[in-house]
Amino acid sequence: MMKSLSYLLCLTVLVLSACSGNNQKTFSEEELSLIPKPTELKLKEGSFNFTKETGFVLEGENQRDIAELLSAKFEAAAGWELKIFEEKPEANFIQFKENKELNDEAYKLNVNDKRIVIEAASYSGFVYALETVRQLLPLEIESEEKISDINWQIPQIEISDEPRFEWRGLMLDVSRHFFEKEYIFKTIDRLAFLKMNTLHLHLVDDQGWRIEIKKYPKLTEVGGFRVDQEHKHWDARSENKPGDEATYGGFYTQEDIKEIVAYAGKHGIDVIPEIEMPAHVTSAIAAYPELSCTGKPVAVPSGGLWPITDIYCAGKDETFEFLENVLLEVMELFPAKYIHVGGDEATKTEWEKCDDCQRRIKEEGLADVEELQSYFIRRMENFLSSHDRILIGWDEILEGGLAPGATVMSWRGTKGGWEASEQGHDVIMTPGSHVYFNFYQGDFDTEPMAFSGFTPLTKVYEFDPVVDSMSVAQKKHVLGGQANLWSEFIDSPELSEYMLFPRLAALSEVLWIPEEDKDWADFSRRMQVMFKRFDLMGINYATSAYSVTAQSEVDANSGAIEIALNTEFPDAEIRYTLNDKNLNASSAVYTEPIQLDTSSLLRAAVFENGKPKGDTLVKNFHFHKAVGKEVTYKPMYHDSYTGVGENTTVNVIRATKNFHDGQWLGWLGEDVETTVDLGELTKIENLKVGAMENQGSGIYFPVKVTAFASKDGENYTKIGEVSRDFKINGAIGLKDFEINFEPQEGRFVKLKVDVYKGLPGKGRAWLFLDEIIVE
């Protein structure tokens, strides 16, 4: 009888799902993949089980929006919504409790088998707590379609969490390429998911004005569109003329902006507008030419523009009247306390010639046009301050003197942020070295076209907005950090996502957790689990961190090379093949450096569960007659680009499109003469020298390569030459300049490489060389 009663009791428990019996699961820490990692976490045995009857216990109406964020996920993935209880039940609920003793964005999360209790001091704190709950749930919570047979459980856990920095941001450039508001909504969702709190919209630049200003309709009618040259490389587009048919572009209406701001607010995110001044405003001057010093009509450019000389006239009062009217409408749309005004990269040649600007300099007692820019920014800062807003500018606003209430966004490294903080100003660190997401994140040869910097996932994770040399007082002025995604080469939401993820996840963690808690190995483990969640979220993320890289060294005595393979994620399974063998799950596992002494083709990739991850590395190692031989250079290469030393050009290892890869020798504006001593008389009939072109970075192919041979090192005979006429080329290019000649004997081979000298007013061209191949 007792046995039967026990059976009935257990059956009742299972039906009601109200006890911790068979329906409970105990989690391990390895199963948790929270990003960013919580400050404090205590995992306990057992779980909380979500059911159709689970609901929220709220303290105020404003918390309904937060509850909806999670409820919407359940509605899509499970087919039921989480209830809102008018009265607190005995179990199976999520309770929001305001706790004013916590810091502004902090939260506490306490989960047992009966309830989830969230404590926070602010709206944002509750959002972050619920995003943590979301990440604790099975991956399938991200599905847009109903999934059956899922136990919607999270572990019993105690979390006490808060961010290290108050500014955790992303800048989207919607000027160079326009993105519809639906993509902005998606981005806001994902920022909230990662506990980021700021979306900075770069709404104005030379190539497009993207926000409706009712007082000045031409800003979008004219400035919002440009001639469609999207089929050409950004830096190879022709100059447009006023009146040319302009069909590419778009803008956000004021109603669109209101929707974006409201949607962001629901997710705990501030939207910061950037209205550029005094430069990066050709789109505005195309609409209203009188705003410039010359008044000359111009067209909205379709691509790269440098130098930027069509800027607002700082001598005309009409300029400031215009900008104040624009900002009044902007402030009505954006409730955040910050307004970004740019302030960068202004070429002031027109100011130097302009009577109005020179009069302004004299009347205001300014020293020069640099101080005139300071006057410009100070005047705009006074206007914004009078409306209880704080001006943000790029670090160029330091030049000529900083406006008293300004906040500096430091992009040219951290130096500007350091200087501003020393002067008592708040700073936001966004250095190109670590958080410019328009830079490459993997192999330049296989990644989508990007700016030629290199910011892999590991580099983002190394970022710290605080500089060690800062004083205690300076450190208090560091608000946080931000990623910037400039969109010159980014023309679709899919490519934008690819450049943002997973790097945005790494940034979210380093801006959230204490510096001493960073752990790349642990983050790598969690990131690889997070990829599966990203799959269900429909994010087109990059797998570049899985890609294999090869680093090689030449043995000076034997001429053999040793190749070390690596990938960003530790303990990854790398498999490789040589020559004509197929690369697959049965290929050799890489365990130690590979030795080569003959020409070979290497393929390598990371494998997971028998399938390749990331791009496959393909490297051709070609042994030729100059490998390991003595090389001399006249003049010597530049101190900034020294490769691996003098044998860089005879070490078998070919350089990549990344001119920082350590395999390039560089010369600035100089013809180069390089001589290889083959050590003995050698039959030769072909010469090649590898070069790079990256015009955007000032690197140009040589215009001529001339080859000479000698038996004694004193008497040289010309054996051939190859010339190349200059061509505009927006893409990064690699080229072997090849010279064929009649077979002959020689010990010394000399190459004279002529640098391109056709850059009037733009400085000198760089010449980059890698391998000198002698056959």
Side-chain angles (χ1 to χ4, degrees), residues 678-696:
L678 299 175
E680 60 185 7
L681 285 176
T682 305
K683 185 178 179 180
I684 57 175
E685 59 183 342
N686 178 273
L687 295 174
K688 297 188 187 85
V689 60
M692 167 188 271
E693 184 159 73
N694 182 343
Q695 294 183 5

mmCIF file with all atom_site columns, all heavy atoms in Angstrom, residues 678-696:
data_model
loop_
_atom_site.group_PDB
_atom_site.id
_atom_site.type_symbol
_atom_site.label_atom_id
_atom_site.label_alt_id
_atom_site.label_comp_id
_atom_site.label_asym_id
_atom_site.label_entity_id
_atom_site.label_seq_id
_atom_site.pdbx_PDB_ins_code
_atom_site.Cartn_x
_atom_site.Cartn_y
_atom_site.Cartn_z
_atom_site.occupancy
_atom_site.B_iso_or_equiv
_atom_site.pdbx_formal_charge
_atom_site.auth_seq_id
_atom_site.auth_comp_id
_atom_site.auth_asym_id
_atom_site.auth_atom_id
_atom_site.pdbx_PDB_model_num
ATOM 1   N N   . LEU A 1 678 ? 74.745 35.097 -55.406 1.00 0.00 ? 678 LEU A N   1
ATOM 2   C CA  . LEU A 1 678 ? 74.367 33.687 -55.458 1.00 0.00 ? 678 LEU A CA  1
ATOM 3   C C   . LEU A 1 678 ? 75.467 32.764 -54.941 1.00 0.00 ? 678 LEU A C   1
ATOM 4   O O   . LEU A 1 678 ? 75.268 31.546 -54.833 1.00 0.00 ? 678 LEU A O   1
ATOM 5   C CB  . LEU A 1 678 ? 74.003 33.298 -56.890 1.00 0.00 ? 678 LEU A CB  1
ATOM 6   C CG  . LEU A 1 678 ? 72.809 34.073 -57.497 1.00 0.00 ? 678 LEU A CG  1
ATOM 7   C CD1 . LEU A 1 678 ? 72.630 33.691 -58.963 1.00 0.00 ? 678 LEU A CD1 1
ATOM 8   C CD2 . LEU A 1 678 ? 71.535 33.814 -56.706 1.00 0.00 ? 678 LEU A CD2 1
ATOM 9   N N   . GLY A 1 679 ? 76.631 33.335 -54.614 1.00 0.00 ? 679 GLY A N   1
ATOM 10  C CA  . GLY A 1 679 ? 77.691 32.555 -53.998 1.00 0.00 ? 679 GLY A CA  1
ATOM 11  C C   . GLY A 1 679 ? 78.643 31.888 -54.974 1.00 0.00 ? 679 GLY A C   1
ATOM 12  O O   . GLY A 1 679 ? 79.785 31.592 -54.618 1.00 0.00 ? 679 GLY A O   1
ATOM 13  N N   . GLU A 1 680 ? 78.186 31.613 -56.170 1.00 0.00 ? 680 GLU A N   1
ATOM 14  C CA  . GLU A 1 680 ? 79.006 30.980 -57.194 1.00 0.00 ? 680 GLU A CA  1
ATOM 15  C C   . GLU A 1 680 ? 78.352 31.231 -58.544 1.00 0.00 ? 680 GLU A C   1
ATOM 16  O O   . GLU A 1 680 ? 77.193 31.651 -58.630 1.00 0.00 ? 680 GLU A O   1
ATOM 17  C CB  . GLU A 1 680 ? 79.126 29.480 -56.939 1.00 0.00 ? 680 GLU A CB  1
ATOM 18  C CG  . GLU A 1 680 ? 77.792 28.759 -56.942 1.00 0.00 ? 680 GLU A CG  1
ATOM 19  C CD  . GLU A 1 680 ? 77.914 27.283 -56.568 1.00 0.00 ? 680 GLU A CD  1
ATOM 20  O OE1 . GLU A 1 680 ? 79.016 26.863 -56.187 1.00 0.00 ? 680 GLU A OE1 1
ATOM 21  O OE2 . GLU A 1 680 ? 76.893 26.574 -56.656 1.00 0.00 ? 680 GLU A OE2 1
ATOM 22  N N   . LEU A 1 681 ? 79.124 30.965 -59.608 1.00 0.00 ? 681 LEU A N   1
ATOM 23  C CA  . LEU A 1 681 ? 78.541 31.110 -60.936 1.00 0.00 ? 681 LEU A CA  1
ATOM 24  C C   . LEU A 1 681 ? 77.354 30.168 -61.084 1.00 0.00 ? 681 LEU A C   1
ATOM 25  O O   . LEU A 1 681 ? 77.456 28.977 -60.784 1.00 0.00 ? 681 LEU A O   1
ATOM 26  C CB  . LEU A 1 681 ? 79.584 30.817 -62.017 1.00 0.00 ? 681 LEU A CB  1
ATOM 27  C CG  . LEU A 1 681 ? 80.633 31.906 -62.257 1.00 0.00 ? 681 LEU A CG  1
ATOM 28  C CD1 . LEU A 1 681 ? 81.652 31.423 -63.276 1.00 0.00 ? 681 LEU A CD1 1
ATOM 29  C CD2 . LEU A 1 681 ? 79.982 33.199 -62.716 1.00 0.00 ? 681 LEU A CD2 1
ATOM 30  N N   . THR A 1 682 ? 76.232 30.727 -61.522 1.00 0.00 ? 682 THR A N   1
ATOM 31  C CA  . THR A 1 682 ? 74.978 29.977 -61.565 1.00 0.00 ? 682 THR A CA  1
ATOM 32  C C   . THR A 1 682 ? 74.264 30.273 -62.873 1.00 0.00 ? 682 THR A C   1
ATOM 33  O O   . THR A 1 682 ? 74.247 31.426 -63.340 1.00 0.00 ? 682 THR A O   1
ATOM 34  C CB  . THR A 1 682 ? 74.070 30.383 -60.389 1.00 0.00 ? 682 THR A CB  1
ATOM 35  O OG1 . THR A 1 682 ? 74.784 30.206 -59.157 1.00 0.00 ? 682 THR A OG1 1
ATOM 36  C CG2 . THR A 1 682 ? 72.804 29.549 -60.367 1.00 0.00 ? 682 THR A CG2 1
ATOM 37  N N   . LYS A 1 683 ? 73.698 29.250 -63.485 1.00 0.00 ? 683 LYS A N   1
ATOM 38  C CA  . LYS A 1 683 ? 72.923 29.457 -64.704 1.00 0.00 ? 683 LYS A CA  1
ATOM 39  C C   . LYS A 1 683 ? 71.584 30.077 -64.332 1.00 0.00 ? 683 LYS A C   1
ATOM 40  O O   . LYS A 1 683 ? 70.837 29.551 -63.498 1.00 0.00 ? 683 LYS A O   1
ATOM 41  C CB  . LYS A 1 683 ? 72.719 28.139 -65.426 1.00 0.00 ? 683 LYS A CB  1
ATOM 42  C CG  . LYS A 1 683 ? 72.017 28.292 -66.776 1.00 0.00 ? 683 LYS A CG  1
ATOM 43  C CD  . LYS A 1 683 ? 71.869 26.951 -67.479 1.00 0.00 ? 683 LYS A CD  1
ATOM 44  C CE  . LYS A 1 683 ? 71.144 27.119 -68.808 1.00 0.00 ? 683 LYS A CE  1
ATOM 45  N NZ  . LYS A 1 683 ? 70.977 25.821 -69.516 1.00 0.00 ? 683 LYS A NZ  1
ATOM 46  N N   . ILE A 1 684 ? 71.266 31.210 -64.959 1.00 0.00 ? 684 ILE A N   1
ATOM 47  C CA  . ILE A 1 684 ? 70.013 31.916 -64.668 1.00 0.00 ? 684 ILE A CA  1
ATOM 48  C C   . ILE A 1 684 ? 69.323 32.292 -65.968 1.00 0.00 ? 684 ILE A C   1
ATOM 49  O O   . ILE A 1 684 ? 69.973 32.513 -66.993 1.00 0.00 ? 684 ILE A O   1
ATOM 50  C CB  . ILE A 1 684 ? 70.250 33.177 -63.811 1.00 0.00 ? 684 ILE A CB  1
ATOM 51  C CG1 . ILE A 1 684 ? 71.241 34.121 -64.514 1.00 0.00 ? 684 ILE A CG1 1
ATOM 52  C CG2 . ILE A 1 684 ? 70.758 32.793 -62.429 1.00 0.00 ? 684 ILE A CG2 1
ATOM 53  C CD1 . ILE A 1 684 ? 71.449 35.434 -63.798 1.00 0.00 ? 684 ILE A CD1 1
ATOM 54  N N   . GLU A 1 685 ? 67.970 32.372 -65.934 1.00 0.00 ? 685 GLU A N   1
ATOM 55  C CA  . GLU A 1 685 ? 67.214 32.751 -67.133 1.00 0.00 ? 685 GLU A CA  1
ATOM 56  C C   . GLU A 1 685 ? 65.898 33.465 -66.818 1.00 0.00 ? 685 GLU A C   1
ATOM 57  O O   . GLU A 1 685 ? 65.161 33.827 -67.717 1.00 0.00 ? 685 GLU A O   1
ATOM 58  C CB  . GLU A 1 685 ? 66.929 31.510 -67.981 1.00 0.00 ? 685 GLU A CB  1
ATOM 59  C CG  . GLU A 1 685 ? 66.141 30.432 -67.269 1.00 0.00 ? 685 GLU A CG  1
ATOM 60  C CD  . GLU A 1 685 ? 65.961 29.189 -68.142 1.00 0.00 ? 685 GLU A CD  1
ATOM 61  O OE1 . GLU A 1 685 ? 66.138 29.292 -69.365 1.00 0.00 ? 685 GLU A OE1 1
ATOM 62  O OE2 . GLU A 1 685 ? 65.658 28.125 -67.569 1.00 0.00 ? 685 GLU A OE2 1
ATOM 63  N N   . ASN A 1 686 ? 65.613 33.683 -65.530 1.00 0.00 ? 686 ASN A N   1
ATOM 64  C CA  . ASN A 1 686 ? 64.346 34.329 -65.167 1.00 0.00 ? 686 ASN A CA  1
ATOM 65  C C   . ASN A 1 686 ? 64.493 34.998 -63.805 1.00 0.00 ? 686 ASN A C   1
ATOM 66  O O   . ASN A 1 686 ? 65.072 34.425 -62.875 1.00 0.00 ? 686 ASN A O   1
ATOM 67  C CB  . ASN A 1 686 ? 63.223 33.288 -65.117 1.00 0.00 ? 686 ASN A CB  1
ATOM 68  C CG  . ASN A 1 686 ? 61.891 33.898 -64.704 1.00 0.00 ? 686 ASN A CG  1
ATOM 69  O OD1 . ASN A 1 686 ? 61.605 34.004 -63.521 1.00 0.00 ? 686 ASN A OD1 1
ATOM 70  N ND2 . ASN A 1 686 ? 61.092 34.295 -65.686 1.00 0.00 ? 686 ASN A ND2 1
ATOM 71  N N   . LEU A 1 687 ? 63.960 36.214 -63.703 1.00 0.00 ? 687 LEU A N   1
ATOM 72  C CA  . LEU A 1 687 ? 63.947 36.950 -62.434 1.00 0.00 ? 687 LEU A CA  1
ATOM 73  C C   . LEU A 1 687 ? 62.540 37.459 -62.164 1.00 0.00 ? 687 LEU A C   1
ATOM 74  O O   . LEU A 1 687 ? 61.834 37.868 -63.094 1.00 0.00 ? 687 LEU A O   1
ATOM 75  C CB  . LEU A 1 687 ? 64.894 38.152 -62.493 1.00 0.00 ? 687 LEU A CB  1
ATOM 76  C CG  . LEU A 1 687 ? 66.390 37.895 -62.646 1.00 0.00 ? 687 LEU A CG  1
ATOM 77  C CD1 . LEU A 1 687 ? 67.115 39.218 -62.833 1.00 0.00 ? 687 LEU A CD1 1
ATOM 78  C CD2 . LEU A 1 687 ? 66.927 37.172 -61.424 1.00 0.00 ? 687 LEU A CD2 1
ATOM 79  N N   . LYS A 1 688 ? 62.165 37.426 -60.893 1.00 0.00 ? 688 LYS A N   1
ATOM 80  C CA  . LYS A 1 688 ? 60.896 38.038 -60.481 1.00 0.00 ? 688 LYS A CA  1
ATOM 81  C C   . LYS A 1 688 ? 61.138 38.787 -59.184 1.00 0.00 ? 688 LYS A C   1
ATOM 82  O O   . LYS A 1 688 ? 61.954 38.368 -58.354 1.00 0.00 ? 688 LYS A O   1
ATOM 83  C CB  . LYS A 1 688 ? 59.805 36.984 -60.222 1.00 0.00 ? 688 LYS A CB  1
ATOM 84  C CG  . LYS A 1 688 ? 59.389 36.143 -61.394 1.00 0.00 ? 688 LYS A CG  1
ATOM 85  C CD  . LYS A 1 688 ? 58.168 35.293 -61.002 1.00 0.00 ? 688 LYS A CD  1
ATOM 86  C CE  . LYS A 1 688 ? 57.799 34.288 -62.078 1.00 0.00 ? 688 LYS A CE  1
ATOM 87  N NZ  . LYS A 1 688 ? 58.581 33.047 -61.960 1.00 0.00 ? 688 LYS A NZ  1
ATOM 88  N N   . VAL A 1 689 ? 60.408 39.872 -58.999 1.00 0.00 ? 689 VAL A N   1
ATOM 89  C CA  . VAL A 1 689 ? 60.391 40.555 -57.708 1.00 0.00 ? 689 VAL A CA  1
ATOM 90  C C   . VAL A 1 689 ? 58.944 40.884 -57.372 1.00 0.00 ? 689 VAL A C   1
ATOM 91  O O   . VAL A 1 689 ? 58.192 41.395 -58.210 1.00 0.00 ? 689 VAL A O   1
ATOM 92  C CB  . VAL A 1 689 ? 61.275 41.820 -57.706 1.00 0.00 ? 689 VAL A CB  1
ATOM 93  C CG1 . VAL A 1 689 ? 60.815 42.837 -58.747 1.00 0.00 ? 689 VAL A CG1 1
ATOM 94  C CG2 . VAL A 1 689 ? 61.300 42.453 -56.314 1.00 0.00 ? 689 VAL A CG2 1
ATOM 95  N N   . GLY A 1 690 ? 58.543 40.550 -56.151 1.00 0.00 ? 690 GLY A N   1
ATOM 96  C CA  . GLY A 1 690 ? 57.166 40.774 -55.718 1.00 0.00 ? 690 GLY A CA  1
ATOM 97  C C   . GLY A 1 690 ? 56.976 42.174 -55.160 1.00 0.00 ? 690 GLY A C   1
ATOM 98  O O   . GLY A 1 690 ? 57.823 42.697 -54.433 1.00 0.00 ? 690 GLY A O   1
ATOM 99  N N   . ALA A 1 691 ? 55.855 42.798 -55.524 1.00 0.00 ? 691 ALA A N   1
ATOM 100 C CA  . ALA A 1 691 ? 55.543 44.148 -55.051 1.00 0.00 ? 691 ALA A CA  1
ATOM 101 C C   . ALA A 1 691 ? 54.072 44.248 -54.673 1.00 0.00 ? 691 ALA A C   1
ATOM 102 O O   . ALA A 1 691 ? 53.256 43.407 -55.050 1.00 0.00 ? 691 ALA A O   1
ATOM 103 C CB  . ALA A 1 691 ? 55.884 45.181 -56.129 1.00 0.00 ? 691 ALA A CB  1
ATOM 104 N N   . MET A 1 692 ? 53.765 45.293 -53.912 1.00 0.00 ? 692 MET A N   1
ATOM 105 C CA  . MET A 1 692 ? 52.381 45.537 -53.474 1.00 0.00 ? 692 MET A CA  1
ATOM 106 C C   . MET A 1 692 ? 51.917 46.891 -53.966 1.00 0.00 ? 692 MET A C   1
ATOM 107 O O   . MET A 1 692 ? 52.717 47.828 -54.107 1.00 0.00 ? 692 MET A O   1
ATOM 108 C CB  . MET A 1 692 ? 52.285 45.507 -51.946 1.00 0.00 ? 692 MET A CB  1
ATOM 109 C CG  . MET A 1 692 ? 50.958 46.055 -51.406 1.00 0.00 ? 692 MET A CG  1
ATOM 110 S SD  . MET A 1 692 ? 50.915 46.248 -49.608 1.00 0.00 ? 692 MET A SD  1
ATOM 111 C CE  . MET A 1 692 ? 50.335 44.625 -49.158 1.00 0.00 ? 692 MET A CE  1
ATOM 112 N N   . GLU A 1 693 ? 50.590 46.994 -54.181 1.00 0.00 ? 693 GLU A N   1
ATOM 113 C CA  . GLU A 1 693 ? 49.964 48.291 -54.401 1.00 0.00 ? 693 GLU A CA  1
ATOM 114 C C   . GLU A 1 693 ? 48.760 48.410 -53.489 1.00 0.00 ? 693 GLU A C   1
ATOM 115 O O   . GLU A 1 693 ? 47.910 47.522 -53.428 1.00 0.00 ? 693 GLU A O   1
ATOM 116 C CB  . GLU A 1 693 ? 49.536 48.470 -55.855 1.00 0.00 ? 693 GLU A CB  1
ATOM 117 C CG  . GLU A 1 693 ? 48.960 49.857 -56.125 1.00 0.00 ? 693 GLU A CG  1
ATOM 118 C CD  . GLU A 1 693 ? 48.999 50.230 -57.589 1.00 0.00 ? 693 GLU A CD  1
ATOM 119 O OE1 . GLU A 1 693 ? 48.191 49.676 -58.358 1.00 0.00 ? 693 GLU A OE1 1
ATOM 120 O OE2 . GLU A 1 693 ? 49.849 51.057 -57.959 1.00 0.00 ? 693 GLU A OE2 1
ATOM 121 N N   . ASN A 1 694 ? 48.737 49.503 -52.744 1.00 0.00 ? 694 ASN A N   1
ATOM 122 C CA  . ASN A 1 694 ? 47.611 49.836 -51.873 1.00 0.00 ? 694 ASN A CA  1
ATOM 123 C C   . ASN A 1 694 ? 47.517 51.353 -51.873 1.00 0.00 ? 694 ASN A C   1
ATOM 124 O O   . ASN A 1 694 ? 48.009 52.022 -50.980 1.00 0.00 ? 694 ASN A O   1
ATOM 125 C CB  . ASN A 1 694 ? 47.840 49.281 -50.459 1.00 0.00 ? 694 ASN A CB  1
ATOM 126 C CG  . ASN A 1 694 ? 46.690 49.555 -49.514 1.00 0.00 ? 694 ASN A CG  1
ATOM 127 O OD1 . ASN A 1 694 ? 45.847 50.410 -49.778 1.00 0.00 ? 694 ASN A OD1 1
ATOM 128 N ND2 . ASN A 1 694 ? 46.646 48.854 -48.400 1.00 0.00 ? 694 ASN A ND2 1
ATOM 129 N N   . GLN A 1 695 ? 46.919 51.878 -52.936 1.00 0.00 ? 695 GLN A N   1
ATOM 130 C CA  . GLN A 1 695 ? 46.954 53.319 -53.153 1.00 0.00 ? 695 GLN A CA  1
ATOM 131 C C   . GLN A 1 695 ? 46.309 54.098 -52.016 1.00 0.00 ? 695 GLN A C   1
ATOM 132 O O   . GLN A 1 695 ? 46.726 55.224 -51.722 1.00 0.00 ? 695 GLN A O   1
ATOM 133 C CB  . GLN A 1 695 ? 46.311 53.651 -54.502 1.00 0.00 ? 695 GLN A CB  1
ATOM 134 C CG  . GLN A 1 695 ? 47.108 53.119 -55.689 1.00 0.00 ? 695 GLN A CG  1
ATOM 135 C CD  . GLN A 1 695 ? 46.512 53.500 -57.035 1.00 0.00 ? 695 GLN A CD  1
ATOM 136 O OE1 . GLN A 1 695 ? 45.528 54.247 -57.108 1.00 0.00 ? 695 GLN A OE1 1
ATOM 137 N NE2 . GLN A 1 695 ? 47.085 52.987 -58.114 1.00 0.00 ? 695 GLN A NE2 1
ATOM 138 N N   . GLY A 1 696 ? 45.307 53.498 -51.371 1.00 0.00 ? 696 GLY A N   1
ATOM 139 C CA  . GLY A 1 696 ? 44.668 54.168 -50.249 1.00 0.00 ? 696 GLY A CA  1
ATOM 140 C C   . GLY A 1 696 ? 45.615 54.418 -49.096 1.00 0.00 ? 696 GLY A C   1
ATOM 141 O O   . GLY A 1 696 ? 45.430 55.334 -48.301 1.00 0.00 ? 696 GLY A O   1
#
